[in-house]
Amino acid sequence: MRQTIATTKPTILIIFGATGDLAIRKLLPAVFHLFQKNLLPPKFKIIAWSRRPFSNADYHKFLKNALKGKKISLRPSRSEANTVPRPLGASFESKTFTKFLRYISYHQGLFDIADSYKKLKKTLVKIDQHEWKECSNKLFHLAVPSDFYEEILKNISHFGLAISCSDGAGWTRILIEKPFGKDTATAEKLDEFLGKLFREEQIFRIDHYLAKEALQNITLFRFSNLLFEPIWNNKYIEKVEIKLFESLDIQGRGNFYDNIGALRDVGQNHILRMLALIAMENPKSPDVKSVWQERTKILHALQPMLSADVAKYAMRGQYKGYRREANIQPNSTTETYFKIKTFINNKRWNGVPFYLESGKAMKEKKSEIIVHLKKSISFFCPVDQTCDYQNIITFKIQPEEGISVRFWAKKTGLTSHMEAKNLSFSYHSDEKIKQTVDDYERVLFDCIRGDQTFFTGTEEVKASWEFITPIIAAWQKIPLYTYKKGSNGPYAADI
């Protein structure tokens, strides 16, 4: 069955930071894949904004070389400092990609120069009034470091770029990337600033983890299968582990990472979103406000961390050699690993520990949620065998997306001995892999069609920071363990 396009209305995507790492590695490939699948509007354009003095032809050449993995002999700007072009497949050599390039026009501009925005406005008006002769949707994607947000957003609003070109026709939306602030105070300041310039329905805060197929499946799996939802509580569940491990180190991102650290980088957003999805109540309706409300309730119910609690329930680490990385302070105490034990203070989860763990330069790359059910007691246990039968449900987020359930069955033979077996489902079987979509394909598709369900709302962001900020404040009072690259993290007493 053919998928439905995001919208039939003319749409323009404006990318700020179009020569940067995010645009090259994630955003533009995702738009191209949507184009390949005929999921974009019939009338669609991309305006690529960057400071480089490129012509359209120059940018097209730059983009094609970058996507093919060729080195780019340009000194990157601040917003482009992390550009590491990577090969993305032979499809970028195809006639389809050549056709796709015709939809992209380049716009040279500086974030703090008024004339750049005036020129952009003229370009948008020209497309609407002279080329298409109808009002178009405008999607502004800020693929830049967060310290540029205020300047860009202020100018988008000041020059009327976020105002629809005619009554009742053509929306404007803002796509912004994490992190949304650095703590509770800065997040509230950013949110207050956004609220003065744009309506909540115009603001799409991206946590691309929420766009992963396996994460979106969690709530559907829980609430659609009577087999599992009745046991999803403290009566049957012993503990929940949420892990996000990366085998790579900081990959030359010292300027960014040393001011952020693992907890801000993935803890405040990815990990807490995973926790909210695995623990939330069934929304009363499928509308976005109901879903946001239930996720936020879980975050508000997290047991607050006092300074003494941080020392008891949080562990932080740094991989050996981190301080020798480029643009890292020689005495840096920035964590590249953390593990936190927390509880959700509500009727369903009271007393169940949730372990939140993430690290860079780990033994393997994996992201998963592991739900440990309580051990069952069997009266058929042989006298010569320990019978701690425990069922485990694992949601595999990456690299292999799927679900597995460990259960116990009798071994073949004359004894009553039991052995562990697995029921599993994978999105990466030969038939399913063709149907999977990239995170940013989902992000862009949902934004164009106006579905905010798997984006984050104001209260959800605020609740996340309210839990994380006290930990950050007390971080320096707990030991910083070191660990070898390629290990399972720091060796220390468990929390």
Side-chain angles (χ1 to χ4, degrees), residues 179-199:
F180 313 113
K182 293 186 176 181
D183 50 29
T184 303
T186 56
E188 288 179 343
K189 181 181 177 181
L190 175 60
D191 192 68
E192 182 180 355
F193 178 75
L194 280 166
K196 290 178 180 178
L197 302 180
F198 312 103
R199 302 185 306 277

Side-chain angles (χ1 to χ4, degrees), residues 191-249:
D191 192 68
E192 182 180 355
F193 178 75
L194 280 166
K196 290 178 180 178
L197 302 180
F198 312 103
R199 302 185 306 277
E200 182 66 22
E201 61 266 26
Q202 289 181 287
I203 305 167
F204 285 69
R205 302 171 186 84
I206 299 172
D207 185 339
H208 70 89
Y209 247 63
L210 283 174
K212 289 186 178 296
E213 198 79 57
L215 271 187
Q216 294 193 4
N217 189 35
I218 288 175
T219 48
L220 296 174
F221 174 84
R222 282 183 53 196
F223 302 130
S224 301
N225 292 291
L226 188 61
L227 180 65
F228 296 103
E229 184 57 17
I231 62 170
W232 221 252
N233 53 59
N234 56 5
K235 183 178 179 180
Y236 297 100
I237 292 178
E238 178 186 280
K239 66 179 179 179
V240 178
E241 296 179 289
I242 301 176
K243 300 180 179 183
L244 199 167
F245 295 162
E246 298 177 70
S247 57
L248 298 176
D249 57 24

